Amino acid sequence: MIRVLLVDDHPVVRRGLRALVDDMPELTAVGEAGDGAEALRLLAELEQRGEARPDVVLMDLQMTGGMHGVEATRRITALPDPPAVLILTTYSTDADILTAVEAGATGYLLKDAPPELLVAAVQSAARGETVLAPPVAARLLGRVRAGRPSLSPREAEILQLLAEGLPNRQISKRLFISEATVKTHLVHIYEKLKVDSRTAAIAAGLANGLIRPA
């Protein structure tokens, strides 16, 4: 029996995923969370009660008003004997994919995947296997071939938040880092993209598929 934790900020999506999981005899849902912080709390509560952790966490990437999927993935995979984290999202930009993989995600699926593929992916993730949706694998291969500018996961996060119009102070609060650290990352971003302003950095990021439109 594969134990699955569902993490998504949309109740309707969680309900659909739960129905899918409960319909499969080899899968069981052990909990639901509306964001990354709640997922971490649920994992801690399971441990306190002496219950087994989930084998797989199905994780959304962008969750309104809470800890996003990349940060949650990073924290979950840093735990002792962590569950596999399988990203299930609508986003497929290079930045999203690379950031999630760098954070420790075992796999990356899109929400339009057929149910049978999702179930097979959960089973594969539980075995420790890497799972990539075909469009995701194609984007990664295309990125390697194109030799595009490469940003670190944190730099990609900051550039995405820039594109969403956040000032340095809000970025620092969102990512739990200092403003000085944000400024340092911006310097590196400008150097890598060969630009000298926030607007130019956003334009270059969009042109190279490093971020998605705000």
Side-chain angles (χ1 to χ4, degrees):
M1 185 68 73
I2 298 173
R3 296 163 57 84
V4 184
L5 174 61
L6 308 173
V7 187
D8 195 291
D9 62 335
H10 294 290
V12 173
V13 174
R14 292 201 306 272
R15 215 171 297 139
L17 290 173
R18 181 127 202 176
L20 176 63
V21 168
D22 289 344
D23 196 44
M24 303 303 298
E26 65 271 34
L27 306 181
T28 183
V30 297
E32 301 177 20
D35 62 44
E38 187 179 357
L40 288 164
R41 285 195 299 271
L42 286 176
L43 290 173
E45 289 171 4
L46 288 173
E47 186 171 357
Q48 289 171 359
R49 294 198 299 262
E51 297 183 30
R53 277 182 177 165
D55 302 294
V56 178
V57 178
L58 267 181
M59 179 75 71
D60 191 13
L61 271 189
Q62 302 296 328
M63 289 175 278
T64 305
M67 183 187 295
H68 56 73
V70 168
E71 183 63 26
T73 298
R74 188 177 292 118
R75 297 191 187 195
I76 290 172
T77 56
L79 296 171
D81 191 24
V85 178
L86 180 58
I87 301 297
L88 183 63
T89 183
T90 56
Y91 302 106
S92 61
T93 68
D94 293 0
D96 288 318
I97 297 166
L98 290 175
T99 302
V101 171
E102 288 291 336
T106 299
Y108 197 109
L109 289 182
L110 302 179
K111 286 184 177 177
D112 60 359
E116 59 272 17
L117 176 59
L118 177 56
V119 171
V122 170
Q123 294 169 330
S124 297
R127 294 192 297 266
E129 300 171 2
T130 299
V131 184
L132 295 175
V136 172
R139 288 193 72 91
L140 289 176
L141 181 59
R143 180 184 174 86
V144 171
R145 288 174 174 169
R148 294 172 179 167
S150 177
L151 300 181
S152 72
R154 180 62 86 189
E155 290 166 353
E157 284 181 290
I158 289 174
L159 186 56
Q160 181 64 53
L161 293 176
L162 281 184
E164 294 172 10
L166 272 66
N168 291 358
R169 178 172 296 181
Q170 289 186 27
I171 292 174
S172 70
K173 289 180 179 179
R174 178 78 65 87
L175 300 180
F176 306 102
I177 58 178
S178 70
E179 284 190 66
T181 301
V182 173
K183 292 177 181 178
T184 299
H185 282 304
L186 287 176
V187 170
H188 295 158
I189 291 169
Y190 292 176
E191 290 176 350
K192 290 181 177 181
L193 299 181
K194 297 180 173 56
V195 298
D196 57 7
S197 72
R198 298 165 77 96
T199 302
I202 293 168
L206 291 169
N208 285 285
L210 300 175
I211 57 174
R212 61 186 178 279

